[in-house]
Coordinates of all heavy atoms in Angstrom, one line a residue:
M1 N 6.6 119.5 -4.1 CA 7.0 118.2 -3.6 C 6.4 117.1 -4.4 O 5.2 117.1 -4.6 CB 6.7 118.2 -2.1 CG 7.2 116.9 -1.4 SD 7.0 117.0 0.4 CE 8.3 117.9 0.9
E2 N 7.2 116.1 -4.8 CA 6.6 115.0 -5.6 C 6.9 113.7 -4.9 O 8.0 113.5 -4.2 CB 7.3 115.0 -7.0 CG 6.9 116.2 -7.8 CD 7.4 116.2 -9.2 OE1 8.2 115.3 -9.5 OE2 7.0 117.1 -9.9
F3 N 6.0 112.7 -5.1 CA 6.1 111.4 -4.5 C 5.8 110.4 -5.6 O 4.9 110.6 -6.4 CB 5.1 111.2 -3.3 CG 5.4 112.2 -2.2 CD1 4.8 113.4 -2.2 CD2 6.2 111.9 -1.2 CE1 5.0 114.3 -1.2 CE2 6.5 112.8 -0.2 CZ 5.8 114.0 -0.2
E4 N 6.4 109.2 -5.5 CA 6.0 108.1 -6.4 C 6.1 106.8 -5.5 O 7.0 106.6 -4.8 CB 7.0 108.0 -7.5 CG 6.6 106.8 -8.5 CD 7.5 106.8 -9.7 OE1 7.5 107.8 -10.4 OE2 8.2 105.7 -9.9
F5 N 5.0 106.0 -5.6 CA 5.0 104.8 -4.8 C 4.0 103.8 -5.4 O 3.1 104.2 -6.2 CB 4.5 105.1 -3.3 CG 3.2 105.8 -3.2 CD1 2.0 105.1 -3.2 CD2 3.2 107.2 -3.3 CE1 0.8 105.7 -3.1 CE2 1.9 107.9 -3.2 CZ 0.8 107.1 -3.1
D6 N 4.1 102.5 -5.1 CA 3.1 101.5 -5.5 C 2.2 101.4 -4.3 O 2.6 101.4 -3.1 CB 3.7 100.2 -5.8 CG 4.6 100.3 -7.0 OD1 4.4 101.2 -7.8 OD2 5.4 99.4 -7.2
G7 N 0.9 101.2 -4.5 CA -0.1 101.0 -3.4 C -1.3 100.2 -3.9 O -1.7 100.3 -5.0
E8 N -1.9 99.5 -2.9 CA -3.0 98.6 -3.2 C -4.3 99.4 -3.3 O -4.6 100.2 -2.4 CB -3.1 97.5 -2.2 CG -4.3 96.5 -2.5 CD -4.3 95.4 -1.5 OE1 -3.3 95.1 -0.9 OE2 -5.4 94.8 -1.4
L9 N -5.1 99.2 -4.3 CA -6.4 99.9 -4.4 C -7.4 99.1 -3.5 O -7.5 97.9 -3.6 CB -6.9 99.8 -5.9 CG -8.2 100.5 -6.3 CD1 -8.0 102.0 -6.1 CD2 -8.6 100.1 -7.7
W10 N -8.0 99.9 -2.6 CA -9.0 99.3 -1.7 C -10.3 100.0 -1.8 O -10.4 101.2 -2.1 CB -8.5 99.2 -0.3 CG -8.0 100.4 0.3 CD1 -6.7 101.0 0.2 CD2 -8.7 101.3 1.1 NE1 -6.6 102.1 0.9 CE2 -7.8 102.4 1.5 CE3 -10.0 101.3 1.6 CZ2 -8.2 103.4 2.3 CZ3 -10.4 102.4 2.4 CH2 -9.5 103.4 2.8
F11 N -11.4 99.3 -1.4 CA -12.8 99.9 -1.5 C -13.2 100.2 -0.1 O -13.2 99.4 0.8 CB -13.7 98.8 -2.1 CG -15.1 99.3 -2.3 CD1 -15.4 100.3 -3.2 CD2 -16.1 98.7 -1.6 CE1 -16.8 100.7 -3.3 CE2 -17.4 99.0 -1.7 CZ -17.7 100.1 -2.6
W12 N -13.8 101.4 0.1 CA -14.4 101.8 1.3 C -15.9 101.8 1.2 O -16.4 102.4 0.3 CB -13.9 103.2 1.7 CG -14.5 103.7 3.0 CD1 -14.2 103.1 4.3 CD2 -15.4 104.8 3.3 NE1 -14.9 103.8 5.2 CE2 -15.6 104.8 4.6 CE3 -16.0 105.7 2.4 CZ2 -16.4 105.8 5.2 CZ3 -16.8 106.7 3.0 CH2 -17.0 106.7 4.4
R13 N -16.6 101.0 2.0 CA -18.0 100.8 1.9 C -18.8 101.8 2.8 O -19.8 101.4 3.3 CB -18.4 99.4 2.2 CG -17.6 98.4 1.4 CD -18.1 97.0 1.7 NE -17.2 95.9 1.3 CZ -16.7 95.6 0.1 NH1 -17.1 96.4 -0.9 NH2 -15.9 94.6 -0.1
G14 N -18.4 103.0 2.9 CA -19.0 103.9 3.7 C -20.3 104.4 3.1 O -20.8 103.9 2.1
P15 N -20.9 105.5 3.7 CA -22.2 106.0 3.1 C -22.0 106.5 1.7 O -22.9 106.5 0.9 CB -22.5 107.2 4.1 CG -21.5 107.2 5.1 CD -20.5 106.1 4.9
A16 N -20.8 106.9 1.4 CA -20.5 107.3 0.0 C -19.3 106.4 -0.4 O -18.1 106.8 -0.2 CB -20.1 108.8 -0.1
P17 N -19.6 105.2 -1.0 CA -18.5 104.3 -1.3 C -17.5 104.9 -2.3 O -17.8 105.7 -3.2 CB -19.2 103.1 -1.9 CG -20.6 103.5 -2.0 CD -20.9 104.8 -1.4
W18 N -16.2 104.5 -2.1 CA -15.1 105.1 -2.9 C -13.9 104.2 -2.9 O -13.8 103.4 -2.0 CB -14.8 106.5 -2.3 CG -14.1 107.4 -3.3 CD1 -12.8 107.5 -3.5 CD2 -14.7 108.3 -4.2 NE1 -12.5 108.4 -4.5 CE2 -13.7 108.9 -5.0 CE3 -16.0 108.6 -4.5 CZ2 -13.9 109.8 -6.0 CZ3 -16.3 109.5 -5.5 CH2 -15.2 110.1 -6.2
Y19 N -13.1 104.3 -3.8 CA -11.8 103.6 -3.9 C -10.6 104.5 -3.5 O -10.6 105.6 -3.9 CB -11.6 103.0 -5.3 CG -12.5 101.8 -5.6 CD1 -13.8 102.1 -6.1 CD2 -12.1 100.5 -5.4 CE1 -14.6 101.0 -6.4 CE2 -12.9 99.5 -5.7 CZ -14.2 99.7 -6.2 OH -15.0 98.7 -6.5
F20 N -9.7 103.9 -2.8 CA -8.5 104.6 -2.3 C -7.2 103.8 -2.5 O -7.3 102.6 -2.6 CB -8.7 105.0 -0.8 CG -9.8 105.9 -0.5 CD1 -11.0 105.4 -0.1 CD2 -9.6 107.3 -0.5 CE1 -12.1 106.3 0.2 CE2 -10.6 108.1 -0.2 CZ -11.9 107.6 0.2
I21 N -6.1 104.5 -2.4 CA -4.8 103.9 -2.3 C -4.1 104.7 -1.1 O -4.1 105.9 -1.0 CB -4.0 104.1 -3.5 CG1 -4.6 103.3 -4.7 CG2 -2.5 103.6 -3.3 CD1 -3.9 103.4 -6.0
T22 N -3.6 103.9 -0.1 CA -3.0 104.5 1.0 C -1.5 104.9 0.7 O -0.8 104.1 0.2 CB -3.0 103.5 2.2 OG1 -4.4 103.1 2.5 CG2 -2.4 104.1 3.5
V23 N -1.2 106.1 1.1 CA 0.2 106.6 0.9 C 1.1 105.9 1.9 O 0.7 105.8 3.1 CB 0.2 108.1 1.1 CG1 1.6 108.7 1.0 CG2 -0.7 108.8 0.1
P24 N 2.3 105.5 1.5 CA 3.2 104.8 2.4 C 3.6 105.7 3.6 O 3.6 106.9 3.5 CB 4.5 104.5 1.6 CG 4.0 104.5 0.2 CD 2.8 105.5 0.1
E25 N 3.8 105.1 4.8 CA 4.1 105.8 6.0 C 5.2 106.8 5.9 O 5.1 108.0 6.4 CB 4.3 104.8 7.1 CG 4.4 105.5 8.5 CD 4.5 104.5 9.6 OE1 4.2 103.3 9.4 OE2 4.7 104.9 10.7
E26 N 6.3 106.5 5.2 CA 7.4 107.4 5.1 C 7.1 108.6 4.3 O 7.5 109.7 4.6 CB 8.7 106.7 4.6 CG 8.5 106.1 3.2 CD 8.0 104.7 3.2 OE1 7.5 104.1 4.2 OE2 8.0 104.0 2.1
D27 N 6.2 108.5 3.3 CA 5.8 109.7 2.5 C 4.8 110.5 3.3 O 4.8 111.7 3.2 CB 5.2 109.2 1.2 CG 6.2 108.6 0.2 OD1 7.4 108.9 0.4 OD2 5.8 107.9 -0.7
C28 N 4.0 109.8 4.1 CA 3.0 110.6 5.0 C 3.8 111.5 6.0 O 3.3 112.6 6.2 CB 2.1 109.6 5.7 SG 0.9 108.7 4.7
V29 N 4.9 111.0 6.5 CA 5.7 111.9 7.4 C 6.1 113.2 6.7 O 6.0 114.3 7.2 CB 6.9 111.1 8.0 CG1 7.8 112.0 8.7 CG2 6.4 109.9 8.8
L30 N 6.6 113.0 5.5 CA 7.0 114.2 4.7 C 5.8 115.1 4.3 O 5.9 116.3 4.4 CB 7.7 113.8 3.4 CG 9.0 113.0 3.7 CD1 9.6 112.4 2.3 CD2 10.1 113.9 4.3
I31 N 4.7 114.5 4.0 CA 3.5 115.3 3.6 C 3.0 116.0 4.9 O 2.7 117.2 4.8 CB 2.4 114.4 3.0 CG1 2.9 113.8 1.7 CG2 1.1 115.1 2.9 CD1 2.0 112.7 1.1
Q32 N 3.0 115.4 6.0 CA 2.6 116.0 7.2 C 3.4 117.2 7.6 O 2.9 118.2 8.0 CB 2.6 115.0 8.4 CG 2.2 115.6 9.7 CD 0.7 116.0 9.7 OE1 -0.2 115.4 9.1 NE2 0.4 117.1 10.4
A33 N 4.7 117.1 7.3 CA 5.6 118.2 7.6 C 5.3 119.5 6.7 O 5.5 120.6 7.1 CB 7.1 117.8 7.3
E34 N 4.7 119.2 5.5 CA 4.3 120.3 4.6 C 2.9 120.7 4.7 O 2.4 121.7 4.1 CB 4.6 119.9 3.2 CG 6.1 119.7 2.9 CD 6.9 121.0 3.0 OE1 6.4 122.0 2.5 OE2 8.0 120.9 3.6
S35 N 2.1 120.0 5.5 CA 0.7 120.1 5.5 C 0.2 121.5 5.9 O -0.8 122.0 5.3 CB 0.0 119.1 6.5 OG 0.4 119.4 7.8
S36 N 0.8 122.2 6.8 CA 0.3 123.5 7.2 C 0.5 124.5 6.0 O -0.3 125.5 5.9 CB 1.1 124.1 8.4 OG 2.5 124.2 8.1
A37 N 1.4 124.3 5.1 CA 1.6 125.2 4.0 C 0.7 124.9 2.8 O 0.4 125.8 2.0 CB 3.0 125.1 3.5
V38 N 0.1 123.7 2.8 CA -0.7 123.3 1.6 C -2.1 122.9 1.9 O -2.9 122.9 1.0 CB 0.0 122.1 0.8 CG1 1.4 122.6 0.2 CG2 0.1 120.9 1.6
S39 N -2.4 122.6 3.1 CA -3.8 122.2 3.4 C -4.8 123.3 3.3 O -4.5 124.4 3.7 CB -3.9 121.6 4.9 OG -5.2 121.2 5.2
Y40 N -6.0 123.0 2.9 CA -7.1 124.0 2.9 C -8.1 123.8 4.0 O -9.1 124.3 4.0 CB -7.7 124.1 1.5 CG -8.3 122.8 1.0 CD1 -9.6 122.4 1.4 CD2 -7.7 121.9 0.1 CE1 -10.2 121.2 0.9 CE2 -8.2 120.8 -0.4 CZ -9.5 120.4 0.0 OH -10.0 119.3 -0.4
G41 N -7.8 122.9 4.9 CA -8.6 122.7 6.0 C -9.0 121.2 6.2 O -8.8 120.4 5.2
W42 N -9.4 120.8 7.4 CA -9.8 119.4 7.7 C -8.7 118.4 7.4 O -9.0 117.2 7.2 CB -11.1 119.0 7.0 CG -12.2 119.9 7.3 CD1 -12.9 120.1 8.5 CD2 -12.8 120.9 6.4 NE1 -13.8 121.0 8.4 CE2 -13.8 121.5 7.1 CE3 -12.5 121.2 5.1 CZ2 -14.6 122.5 6.5 CZ3 -13.3 122.2 4.5 CH2 -14.3 122.8 5.2
G43 N -7.4 118.9 7.2 CA -6.3 118.0 6.9 C -6.2 117.6 5.5 O -5.4 116.7 5.1
M44 N -7.1 118.1 4.6 CA -7.1 117.8 3.2 C -5.9 118.4 2.5 O -5.6 119.6 2.7 CB -8.4 118.2 2.5 CG -9.6 117.8 3.3 SD -9.9 116.1 3.2 CE -10.5 115.9 1.7
I45 N -5.2 117.7 1.7 CA -4.0 118.1 1.0 C -4.2 118.1 -0.5 O -4.4 117.0 -1.1 CB -2.8 117.3 1.3 CG1 -2.6 117.1 2.8 CG2 -1.5 117.8 0.6 CD1 -2.1 118.3 3.5
P46 N -4.3 119.2 -1.2 CA -4.6 119.2 -2.7 C -3.3 118.7 -3.4 O -2.2 119.0 -3.1 CB -4.8 120.7 -3.0 CG -4.2 121.4 -1.9 CD -4.2 120.6 -0.7
V47 N -3.6 117.8 -4.4 CA -2.5 117.2 -5.2 C -2.9 117.0 -6.7 O -4.1 117.0 -7.0 CB -2.1 115.8 -4.7 CG1 -1.6 115.8 -3.2 CG2 -3.3 114.8 -4.7
A48 N -1.9 116.9 -7.5 CA -2.1 116.4 -8.9 C -1.6 115.0 -8.8 O -0.6 114.7 -8.2 CB -1.2 117.2 -9.8
A49 N -2.4 114.1 -9.3 CA -2.1 112.6 -9.2 C -2.0 112.1 -10.6 O -2.6 112.6 -11.6 CB -3.2 111.9 -8.5
R50 N -1.3 111.0 -10.7 CA -1.1 110.3 -12.0 C -1.0 108.8 -11.7 O -0.2 108.4 -10.9 CB 0.0 110.8 -12.8 CG 0.2 110.2 -14.2 CD 1.3 110.8 -15.0 NE 2.1 109.7 -15.5 CZ 3.3 109.9 -15.8 NH1 3.9 111.1 -15.7 NH2 4.0 108.9 -16.3
I51 N -1.7 108.0 -12.5 CA -1.5 106.5 -12.5 C -1.4 106.2 -14.0 O -2.4 106.5 -14.8 CB -2.6 105.7 -11.9 CG1 -2.7 106.0 -10.3 CG2 -2.5 104.3 -12.1 CD1 -3.8 105.4 -9.6
G52 N -0.3 105.6 -14.4 CA -0.2 105.3 -15.9 C -0.2 106.6 -16.6 O 0.6 107.5 -16.3
E53 N -1.0 106.7 -17.6 CA -1.1 107.9 -18.5 C -2.3 108.8 -18.0 O -2.5 109.8 -18.6 CB -1.3 107.5 -19.9 CG -0.1 106.7 -20.5 CD 1.2 107.5 -20.4 OE1 1.2 108.7 -20.7 OE2 2.2 106.9 -20.0
T54 N -3.0 108.4 -17.0 CA -4.1 109.2 -16.5 C -3.8 110.1 -15.4 O -3.2 109.7 -14.4 CB -5.2 108.2 -16.0 OG1 -5.5 107.3 -17.1 CG2 -6.5 109.0 -15.7
R55 N -4.1 111.4 -15.6 CA -3.8 112.4 -14.6 C -5.1 113.0 -14.1 O -6.1 113.2 -14.9 CB -3.0 113.5 -15.2 CG -1.6 113.1 -15.7 CD -1.0 114.2 -16.6 NE 0.2 113.7 -17.3 CZ 1.4 113.8 -16.8 NH1 1.7 114.4 -15.7 NH2 2.4 113.3 -17.5
W56 N -5.2 113.4 -12.9 CA -6.3 114.1 -12.3 C -5.9 114.9 -11.1 O -4.8 114.7 -10.5 CB -7.4 113.1 -12.0 CG -7.3 112.3 -10.8 CD1 -7.9 112.4 -9.6 CD2 -6.4 111.1 -10.6 NE1 -7.5 111.4 -8.7 CE2 -6.6 110.6 -9.3 CE3 -5.6 110.4 -11.4 CZ2 -6.0 109.5 -8.8 CZ3 -4.9 109.3 -11.0 CH2 -5.1 108.9 -9.7
T57 N -6.8 115.8 -10.7 CA -6.5 116.6 -9.4 C -7.5 116.1 -8.4 O -8.6 115.7 -8.7 CB -6.7 118.1 -9.6 OG1 -8.0 118.4 -10.1 CG2 -5.7 118.7 -10.6
T58 N -7.0 116.0 -7.2 CA -7.8 115.5 -6.1 C -7.2 116.0 -4.8 O -6.4 116.9 -4.8 CB -7.9 114.0 -6.1 OG1 -8.8 113.5 -5.1 CG2 -6.5 113.3 -5.9
S59 N -7.6 115.5 -3.6 CA -7.1 115.9 -2.3 C -6.8 114.6 -1.6 O -7.6 113.7 -1.6 CB -8.0 116.8 -1.6 OG -8.1 118.0 -2.2
L60 N -5.7 114.6 -0.9 CA -5.4 113.5 0.0 C -6.3 113.6 1.3 O -6.5 114.7 1.8 CB -4.0 113.5 0.5 CG -2.9 113.4 -0.6 CD1 -1.5 113.4 0.0 CD2 -3.1 112.2 -1.5
F61 N -6.8 112.5 1.8 CA -7.6 112.5 3.0 C -6.8 111.9 4.1 O -6.1 110.9 3.9 CB -8.8 111.6 2.8 CG -9.9 112.0 1.9 CD1 -9.7 112.2 0.5 CD2 -11.2 112.2 2.3 CE1 -10.7 112.6 -0.3 CE2 -12.2 112.6 1.5 CZ -11.9 112.8 0.2
P62 N -6.8 112.5 5.3 CA -6.2 111.9 6.4 C -7.0 110.7 6.9 O -8.3 110.8 7.0 CB -6.1 113.0 7.5 CG -7.2 113.9 7.1 CD -7.5 113.8 5.6
K63 N -6.4 109.6 7.2 CA -7.1 108.4 7.7 C -6.1 107.6 8.5 O -5.1 107.1 8.0 CB -7.6 107.6 6.5 CG -8.4 106.3 7.0 CD -9.1 105.6 5.9 CE -9.9 104.4 6.3 NZ -10.0 104.0 7.7
D64 N -6.4 107.3 9.8 CA -5.7 106.5 10.7 C -4.2 106.9 10.7 O -3.3 106.0 10.7 CB -5.8 105.0 10.2 CG -7.2 104.5 10.3 OD1 -8.0 105.0 11.1 OD2 -7.6 103.6 9.4
G65 N -3.9 108.2 10.8 CA -2.5 108.6 10.9 C -1.8 108.7 9.6 O -0.6 109.0 9.6
R66 N -2.4 108.4 8.5 CA -1.8 108.4 7.2 C -2.7 109.2 6.3 O -3.6 109.8 6.7 CB -1.5 107.0 6.7 CG -0.5 106.3 7.6 CD -0.3 104.8 7.3 NE 0.3 104.5 6.0 CZ 0.5 103.3 5.6 NH1 0.1 102.3 6.4 NH2 0.9 103.1 4.4
Y67 N -2.3 109.2 5.0 CA -3.1 109.8 4.0 C -3.6 108.8 2.9 O -2.9 107.8 2.7 CB -2.4 110.9 3.2 CG -2.1 112.1 4.1 CD1 -0.9 112.3 4.7 CD2 -3.0 113.1 4.3 CE1 -0.6 113.3 5.5 CE2 -2.8 114.2 5.1 CZ -1.5 114.3 5.7 OH -1.3 115.4 6.5
V68 N -4.7 109.0 2.4 CA -5.2 108.1 1.3 C -5.5 109.0 0.1 O -5.9 110.1 0.2 CB -6.5 107.3 1.7 CG1 -6.1 106.3 2.8 CG2 -7.6 108.2 2.1
V69 N -5.3 108.4 -1.1 CA -5.6 109.0 -2.4 C -6.9 108.5 -2.9 O -7.0 107.3 -3.2 CB -4.5 108.7 -3.4 CG1 -4.7 109.4 -4.8 CG2 -3.1 109.0 -2.9
P70 N -7.9 109.3 -3.1 CA -9.2 108.8 -3.8 C -8.9 108.6 -5.3 O -8.3 109.4 -5.9 CB -10.2 109.9 -3.5 CG -9.4 111.2 -3.2 CD -8.0 110.7 -2.7
V71 N -9.4 107.5 -5.8 CA -9.2 107.1 -7.2 C -10.5 107.1 -7.9 O -11.3 106.2 -7.6 CB -8.4 105.8 -7.3 CG1 -8.2 105.4 -8.8 CG2 -7.1 105.8 -6.5
K72 N -10.7 108.0 -8.7 CA -12.0 108.2 -9.4 C -12.3 107.0 -10.4 O -11.4 106.4 -10.9 CB -12.0 109.5 -10.2 CG -11.8 110.7 -9.4 CD -11.7 112.0 -10.3 CE -11.5 113.2 -9.5 NZ -11.5 114.4 -10.2
A73 N -13.6 106.8 -10.6 CA -14.1 105.8 -11.5 C -13.5 105.9 -12.9 O -13.0 104.9 -13.5 CB -15.6 105.7 -11.6
A74 N -13.4 107.1 -13.4 CA -12.8 107.4 -14.7 C -11.3 106.9 -14.8 O -10.9 106.4 -15.8 CB -12.9 108.9 -15.1
V75 N -10.6 107.1 -13.7 CA -9.2 106.7 -13.6 C -9.1 105.2 -13.6 O -8.3 104.6 -14.3 CB -8.5 107.3 -12.4 CG1 -7.1 106.8 -12.2 CG2 -8.5 108.8 -12.4
R76 N -10.0 104.6 -12.8 CA -10.0 103.1 -12.7 C -10.3 102.5 -14.1 O -9.6 101.5 -14.5 CB -10.9 102.6 -11.6 CG -10.5 103.1 -10.2 CD -11.3 102.4 -9.1 NE -12.7 102.3 -9.4 CZ -13.6 103.2 -9.0 NH1 -13.3 104.3 -8.5 NH2 -14.9 103.0 -9.3
R77 N -11.3 103.0 -14.7 CA -11.6 102.5 -16.1 C -10.5 102.7 -17.1 O -10.1 101.8 -17.8 CB -12.9 103.2 -16.6 CG -14.2 102.7 -16.0 CD -15.4 103.2 -16.8 NE -15.5 104.7 -16.8 CZ -16.1 105.4 -15.8 NH1 -16.7 104.7 -14.8 NH2 -16.2 106.7 -15.9
A78 N -10.0 103.9 -17.1 CA -8.9 104.3 -18.1 C -7.7 103.4 -17.9 O -7.0 103.0 -18.9 CB -8.5 105.7 -18.0
E79 N -7.4 103.0 -16.7 CA -6.2 102.2 -16.4 C -6.5 100.8 -16.1 O -5.6 100.0 -15.8 CB -5.4 102.8 -15.2 CG -4.9 104.2 -15.4 CD -3.9 104.3 -16.6 OE1 -3.1 103.3 -16.8 OE2 -3.9 105.3 -17.3
G80 N -7.7 100.4 -16.2 CA -8.1 99.0 -16.1 C -7.9 98.4 -14.7 O -7.5 97.3 -14.5
L81 N -8.1 99.3 -13.7 CA -7.8 98.9 -12.3 C -9.0 98.3 -11.6 O -10.2 98.7 -11.8 CB -7.4 100.2 -11.5 CG -6.1 100.8 -11.9 CD1 -5.9 102.1 -11.2 CD2 -4.9 99.9 -11.8
E82 N -8.7 97.3 -10.7 CA -9.7 96.7 -9.9 C -9.2 96.6 -8.5 O -8.0 96.7 -8.2 CB -10.0 95.3 -10.4 CG -10.6 95.3 -11.8 CD -11.0 93.9 -12.2 OE1 -11.0 92.9 -11.4 OE2 -11.3 93.7 -13.4
E83 N -10.2 96.5 -7.5 CA -9.8 96.3 -6.1 C -8.7 95.3 -6.0 O -8.7 94.2 -6.6 CB -11.0 95.9 -5.3 CG -10.8 95.9 -3.8 CD -12.0 95.6 -3.0 OE1 -13.1 95.4 -3.6 OE2 -11.9 95.5 -1.8
G84 N -7.6 95.6 -5.2 CA -6.5 94.7 -5.0 C -5.3 94.9 -5.9 O -4.2 94.5 -5.6
D85 N -5.5 95.7 -7.0 CA -4.4 96.0 -7.9 C -3.5 97.0 -7.2 O -3.9 97.7 -6.3 CB -4.9 96.6 -9.2 CG -5.6 95.7 -10.1 OD1 -5.5 94.4 -9.9 OD2 -6.3 96.1 -11.1
S86 N -2.2 97.0 -7.6 CA -1.2 97.9 -6.9 C -0.5 98.7 -8.0 O 0.7 98.4 -8.3 CB -0.2 97.0 -6.1 OG -0.9 96.4 -5.0
P87 N -1.1 99.7 -8.5 CA -0.5 100.6 -9.5 C 0.6 101.5 -8.9 O 0.6 101.7 -7.7 CB -1.6 101.4 -10.0 CG -2.5 101.5 -8.9 CD -2.4 100.2 -8.1
T88 N 1.4 102.1 -9.7 CA 2.3 103.1 -9.3 C 1.6 104.4 -9.3 O 0.9 104.8 -10.3 CB 3.5 103.2 -10.3 OG1 4.2 101.9 -10.2 CG2 4.5 104.3 -9.9
V89 N 1.7 105.2 -8.2 CA 1.0 106.5 -8.1 C 2.1 107.5 -8.1 O 3.1 107.4 -7.4 CB 0.2 106.5 -6.8 CG1 -0.6 107.8 -6.6 CG2 -0.8 105.3 -6.7
R90 N 1.8 108.6 -8.8 CA 2.7 109.8 -8.7 C 1.9 111.0 -8.2 O 0.8 111.2 -8.7 CB 3.3 110.1 -10.1 CG 4.2 109.1 -10.6 CD 4.7 109.2 -12.0 NE 5.5 108.2 -12.4 CZ 5.0 107.0 -12.9 NH1 3.8 106.8 -13.0 NH2 5.9 106.1 -13.3
L91 N 2.4 111.7 -7.2 CA 1.6 112.8 -6.6 C 2.5 114.0 -6.6 O 3.7 113.9 -6.3 CB 1.3 112.5 -5.1 CG 0.4 111.3 -4.8 CD1 0.2 111.2 -3.3 CD2 -1.0 111.5 -5.5
T92 N 1.9 115.2 -6.8 CA 2.6 116.4 -6.7 C 1.7 117.3 -5.8 O 0.5 117.5 -6.1 CB 2.8 117.2 -8.1 OG1 3.5 116.3 -8.9 CG2 3.5 118.5 -7.9
L93 N 2.3 117.7 -4.6 CA 1.5 118.6 -3.7 C 1.3 119.9 -4.3 O 2.3 120.5 -4.9 CB 2.2 118.7 -2.4 CG 1.9 117.6 -1.3 CD1 2.3 116.2 -1.8 CD2 2.6 117.9 0.0
H94 N 0.1 120.5 -4.1 CA -0.2 121.9 -4.6 C -0.2 122.8 -3.3 O -0.7 122.4 -2.3 CB -1.5 121.9 -5.3 CG -1.5 121.3 -6.6 ND1 -2.5 121.5 -7.6 CD2 -0.6 120.5 -7.3 CE1 -2.2 120.9 -8.7 NE2 -1.0 120.3 -8.5
G95 N 0.3 123.9 -3.5 CA 0.3 124.9 -2.4 C -0.5 126.1 -2.6 O -1.1 126.4 -3.6

């Protein structure tokens, strides 16, 4: 299953600070429907992600009834992303 969307990069200032992009609600509904087949526990969904020419593997995190995509520092540097930017994200769910 593949998804493509634009989303705003935001910073979480938790105990382990990180940057995320929230998956749109309509895509979250579809992901949730597939979650039992692809999740490895705690609601985490393994994906292949791409922004621009940069690809990486990660897992979607459930947050507030939706999913968020963690965006690694190497990805942000390679694509010149800063908090508040809204890049196009491509996701492929892994099962």
Side-chain angles (χ1 to χ4, degrees):
M1 184 175 277
E2 296 183 352
F3 301 89
E4 181 175 301
F5 57 89
D6 294 342
E8 184 176 337
L9 184 68
W10 54 274
F11 182 67
W12 182 63
R13 303 184 200 301
W18 202 268
Y19 287 84
F20 295 94
I21 295 175
T22 303
V23 176
E25 189 171 348
E26 59 273 11
D27 292 337
C28 289
V29 170
L30 296 172
I31 292 168
Q32 179 64 36
E34 295 295 316
S35 65
S36 63
V38 297
S39 179
Y40 58 84
W42 304 288
M44 309 294 280
I45 308 289
V47 296
R50 183 174 129 202
I51 295 176
E53 297 302 315
T54 307
R55 299 171 190 264
W56 75 103
T57 57
T58 188
S59 293
L60 302 180
F61 290 61
K63 181 171 182 358
D64 301 329
R66 292 174 65 185
Y67 291 98
V68 296
V69 181
V71 182
K72 299 177 180 184
V75 174
R76 296 192 317 274
R77 280 193 301 273
E79 296 299 326
L81 297 174
E82 296 183 10
E83 184 176 1
D85 289 346
S86 293
T88 298
V89 180
R90 292 172 185 86
L91 299 176
T92 304
L93 271 60
H94 287 195

